[in-house]
Amino acid sequence: MTSPAGPPAGGDARGQKRLKLLAVTACPTGIAHTYMAAEKLQQAADRLGIDMKVETQGSIGAENVLSDNDVREADGIIIAADKEVDRERFAGKRVLSTGVADGIHRPEELIERVQSAPVQSGAAADGGSAGAGGGGKERSAAYKALMNGVSHMIPFVVVGGLLLAVSIALGGHSSSKGITFDEGSFWFYVNALGSLGFTLMLPIFSGYIAYALGDRPALVPGMIGGFLAADATTIYKAEANAGFLGAIATGFLAGYLVVWIKKVKVPKFVQPIMPIIVIPIVSTLALGLFYIYVIGQPISWVFTHLTNWLNGMTGSSAILLGAIIGLMIAFDMGGPVNKTAFLVAVGLIGTNNAVMGMAAAAIPVMPLGQGLATLLRRRHYSDQERETGIAALFMGFFGISEGAIPFAAARPAQVIPANMLGGAVAGAIAGLAGVEDSVPHGGPIVSLFGAVSGVGMFFVAIAAGTLVTALTTNALIEIRQRREGRAAPAALSPEPVLAGVGAGAGAGAAGTGAAGTGAGAGTAVRSQAAPAAGAAAAVAPAGQPEEVLSGYLTGRTVKTELAADSKEAAIREMAEMLAGTGNVRDVDELVRVALAREAQGTTGLGESIAIPHAKTDAVARPTVGFARSDAGIEWGALDGTKARLVFMISVPEAAAGDEHLRILALLSRKLMDSDFRARLQTAPDEASILDVLREIR
């Protein structure tokens, strides 16, 4: 993606050396915005007479990768990305870091700013550097850091949880101490390996949150802080474990502490050892001692007083006590509130087994509920989250509540309340039915060991709590998505992703452009009905194939003018057009999925372009449609322009490979060409439109 060659020896017409810049563009899902930003930066550089090479880190891998020679000869590097990009290779060069939306909307400004940007030090860039987007960039950095921690934690949760579950199923024994193993046996060691995975889970989570903010110097304090949050007993000699919520806190504290220390000016002779000795030691001591002396004391106090309060509740209503036990079990999954409820229940085994029955019913609700939620509303979750959901269902059966932690960490505002509500329902039903458990463990597995009385109501309690958790989680996610969808034109610019592919959490910061103005209401020149099956033959020019975009778009899926005057109506009109190919099994379902994707964030890309899309089994094979609107349709685009060029992409849920992503990437690149857009807008008929679209390769 280098610009056209300039005069000999890299000079301009006057023999002066041309400025040479590099850029890296990337977005969370690596589809449209990655390539749109690359094209905009390249076009701006060409207009300004600047040599530029752009590396795109998209869903199909890194392309046009910057070589060592490229970096050595560069005068500056622009990083327009909403995910972490390795910056150590740019040491000694001027580096400007910002969001991908700025690469699309402010390319000239970025080119100007990079020429006076700070020089990258030997360590990676300061994770807290602000981009052109101002405050939104800070929110983006925090979100990316949290997601970085979650993505690194998930393998430890899955591996540790599944090893524990398998060992319990095949080698565990029920005893007064819970599920035990024959010491030195094969399953004893499998269980130990699973426990080790869980031991590392929160340190990894906290460490990689810190790493995303402050880079390598923040990794040590972040991991040590995460260990204190997971198990401070060995150091603090008191119950001061803060669980996954504490790990989030220590991760952000460590990351921002390192960012702040990096800004402190030190003598030159100290600078080389700052990232490898001074910063890690100072930040680790500061965070560790702060946790021990400031955080640990309140947590220990909370644990003690909650225990006393809960013990005082044991003579009250069984339904109320069960609801409280369930709420506490579900709240922080390993933190002080959860541990208080569990240890009180364990302490009453032998004298009041009903309290342990309440806890045992609530313990599996969180992983089972979150796993079920991913099955009920698959489009709300990334592929990684769906896989984690399957593992969570498995862990939930064996009473391993940590299977829900990745979901709670990624969406605490939605998942924690849903978990608590489901836990309360399960605990209350178990309390009402008088379910008893004689071992300190929970989940359906304990019934197989014969440790539960009232097995039927035990399973009813678990099932009810699981269903409440799943439905509440998805309802809260949908409420958030609708709110973000309405606010999208004035807030963030979500990456336009195919529904169900990747996490669509766009995080680039950008301001909004002026509201676009349109002509009046569009005049319908064609019926909303799909073209007749035989109409395509008259569209293709003689000697040219009618199909374009790998056959996904044909003359039967092209309209010169949309009759619709709203986004919802336009999506339905285009879905009906796609149905004329015979590839759409259920038009209503296709429309529903496409509108649900819009609720997550607008697919209006700006430049009068919209690319609504859906991944659903209502579609038999990948199909693409194109339609125009002379008047324009309000689509909530970041730049305020109305959609006049609309592409609709639909693929089956089980579509294999990434060909549809390649098509979207090619489409996004080509649509950044203003001449291409103009010719597409003015083409007089379907045949002429297809001629223009054939240029996409």
Side-chain angles (χ1 to χ4, degrees):
M1 197 175 290
T2 52
S3 58
D12 61 14
R14 295 169 295 177
Q16 295 177 332
K17 182 180 181 298
R18 286 166 61 105
L19 191 68
K20 181 173 183 178
L21 300 177
L22 305 178
V24 179
T25 62
C27 49
T29 53
I31 309 179
H33 284 179
T34 298
Y35 304 102
M36 291 170 67
E39 289 298 316
K40 284 293 188 179
L41 285 166
Q42 187 69 65
Q43 291 169 7
D46 292 343
R47 286 195 301 271
L48 297 171
I50 294 172
D51 287 331
M52 176 172 281
K53 179 177 180 179
V54 186
E55 174 182 308
T56 55
Q57 295 187 6
S59 57
I60 56 178
E63 298 176 282
N64 211 35
V65 176
L66 305 178
S67 68
D68 291 341
N69 286 337
D70 291 328
V71 175
R72 188 179 305 112
E73 297 170 3
D75 297 300
I77 295 97
I78 298 170
I79 299 176
D82 289 339
K83 67 177 185 179
E84 294 305 309
V85 172
D86 179 16
R87 286 176 270 181
E88 289 191 356
R89 54 180 167 156
F90 304 137
K93 297 294 181 178
R94 296 187 181 277
V95 176
L96 174 66
S97 181
T98 187
V100 71
D102 290 337
I104 298 171
H105 300 290
R106 301 181 177 125
E108 291 88 354
E109 178 185 327
L110 298 186
I111 289 173
E112 180 181 351
R113 290 178 57 205
V114 73
Q115 298 176 50
S116 58
V119 174
Q120 171 77 52
S121 64
D126 184 346
S129 59
K137 182 62 180 176
E138 292 302 318
R139 290 192 298 272
S140 169
Y143 176 82
K144 289 189 293 182
L146 181 62
M147 292 301 101
N148 193 51
V150 170
S151 64
H152 283 88
M153 171 181 64
I154 283 176
F156 290 86
V157 176
V158 173
V159 172
L162 295 183
L163 288 179
L164 287 175
V166 170
S167 64
I168 290 171
L170 301 179
H173 309 292
S174 174
S175 73
S176 59
K177 296 181 179 179
I179 307 299
T180 59
F181 301 84
D182 296 332
E183 189 167 351
S185 67
F186 174 78
W187 294 114
F188 173 85
Y189 290 118
V190 172
N191 184 266
L193 290 173
S195 298
L196 182 59
F198 273 6
T199 300
L200 293 172
M201 175 179 65
L202 293 187
I204 291 292
F205 180 38
S206 177
Y208 278 95
I209 290 174
Y211 177 83
L213 294 169
D215 208 73
R216 289 184 184 177
L219 193 58
V220 172
M223 286 193 171
I224 290 178
F227 178 82
L228 289 172
D231 186 11
T233 307
T234 55
I235 295 178
Y236 195 72
K237 304 302 180 185
E239 295 293 348
N241 300 340
F244 83 95
L245 293 175
I248 292 176
T250 57
F252 280 107
L253 284 172
Y256 284 119
L257 179 61
V258 168
V259 168
W260 178 77
I261 295 174
K262 283 182 178 181
K263 295 178 181 179
V264 176
K265 293 183 178 180
V266 297
K268 286 188 177 180
F269 72 90
V270 179
Q271 290 178 0
I273 64 171
M274 285 291 289
I276 58 175
I277 298 178
V278 177
I279 294 177
I281 289 177
V282 171
S283 57
T284 299
L285 279 173
L287 179 63
L289 294 175
F290 178 80
Y291 189 97
I292 291 171
Y293 287 109
V294 179
I295 297 178
Q297 287 283 1
I299 291 176
S300 182
W301 181 90
V302 167
F303 179 84
T304 301
H305 284 75
L306 274 178
T307 302
N308 294 336
W309 173 74
L310 199 55
N311 278 321
M313 290 283 296
T314 54
S316 63
S317 163
I319 298 177
L320 176 61
L321 180 61
I324 293 173
I325 290 286
L327 282 171
M328 295 175 67
I329 287 289
F331 174 64
D332 52 3
M333 290 170 284
V337 177
N338 168 280
K339 186 167 290 186
T340 296
F342 181 75
L343 293 182
V344 166
V346 170
L348 291 172
I349 291 178
T351 59
N352 188 355
N353 289 356
V355 179
M356 190 65 229
M358 302 168 191
I363 284 171
V365 162
M366 297 83 76
L368 290 176
Q370 295 306 319
L372 179 60
T374 66
L375 297 179
L376 294 178
R377 289 290 187 271
R378 292 175 60 82
R379 68 177 184 273
H380 291 336
Y381 301 91
S382 68
D383 289 342
Q384 186 182 43
E385 287 175 319
R386 294 176 191 175
E387 293 166 3
T388 306
I390 298 299
L393 287 170
F394 194 66
M395 284 184 260
F397 181 83
F398 292 94
I400 303 169
S401 60
E402 287 85 349
I405 286 180
F407 299 97
R411 298 183 178 93
Q414 290 77 41
V415 172
I416 293 177
N419 284 347
M420 293 174 66
L421 183 58
V425 169
I429 293 175
L432 176 66
V435 172
E436 295 185 353
D437 179 13
S438 59
V439 298
H441 198 77
I445 185 64
V446 295
S447 68
L448 301 183
F449 288 116
V452 175
S453 66
V455 173
M457 289 306 297
F458 178 62
F459 277 97
V460 168
I462 292 174
T466 298
L467 187 60
V468 167
T469 293
L471 295 177
T472 305
T473 298
N474 285 334
L476 292 176
I477 290 174
E478 287 171 356
I479 290 171
R480 184 199 66 181
Q481 289 172 349
R482 284 196 295 270
R483 185 183 303 119
E484 290 179 350
R486 287 194 298 268
L492 304 181
S493 175
E495 172 66 11
V497 301
L498 293 172
V501 180
T512 57
T517 57
T523 303
V525 296
R526 291 186 54 172
S527 168
Q528 291 191 36
V539 172
Q544 288 192 346
E546 184 227 358
E547 297 180 343
V548 296
L549 287 175
S550 300
Y552 297 163
L553 188 150
T554 71
R556 297 165 66 184
T557 59
V558 170
K559 272 194 173 186
T560 56
E561 179 67 24
L562 283 166
D565 59 1
S566 69
K567 176 165 64 174
E568 292 77 9
I571 287 175
R572 176 164 292 279
E573 185 176 346
M574 296 195 73
E576 291 172 349
M577 177 176 66
L578 298 186
T581 64
N583 296 333
V584 178
R585 301 187 181 103
D586 187 337
V587 171
D588 290 338
E589 178 64 9
L590 174 58
V591 172
R592 185 190 66 78
V593 174
L595 291 177
R597 172 61 189 88
E598 293 294 331
Q600 297 177 29
T602 179
T603 57
L605 306 184
E607 305 284 0
S608 299
I609 303 163
I611 310 182
H613 42 262
K615 191 174 186 184
T616 171
D617 287 332
V619 181
R621 67 181 295 268
T623 309
V624 180
F626 168 74
R628 298 187 308 209
S629 172
D630 288 339
I633 299 170
E634 181 55 55
W635 219 278
L638 191 69
D639 63 357
T641 58
K642 292 185 177 182
R644 291 176 169 81
L645 304 175
V646 183
F647 288 84
M648 185 165 180
I649 301 175
S650 59
V651 296
E653 182 71 47
D658 58 5
E659 180 62 16
H660 58 294
L661 300 182
R662 294 180 183 275
I663 293 298
L664 185 52
L666 291 171
L667 191 58
S668 301
R669 283 183 176 135
K670 193 63 179 176
L671 286 169
M672 290 301 97
D673 183 342
S674 58
D675 177 66
F676 177 82
R677 295 198 307 271
R679 287 185 287 114
L680 199 56
Q681 185 70 60
T682 58
D685 51 34
E686 287 92 339
S688 301
I689 290 173
L690 285 171
D691 281 343
V692 178
L693 291 175
R694 287 189 188 95
E695 298 176 20
I696 303 174
R697 304 193 186 283

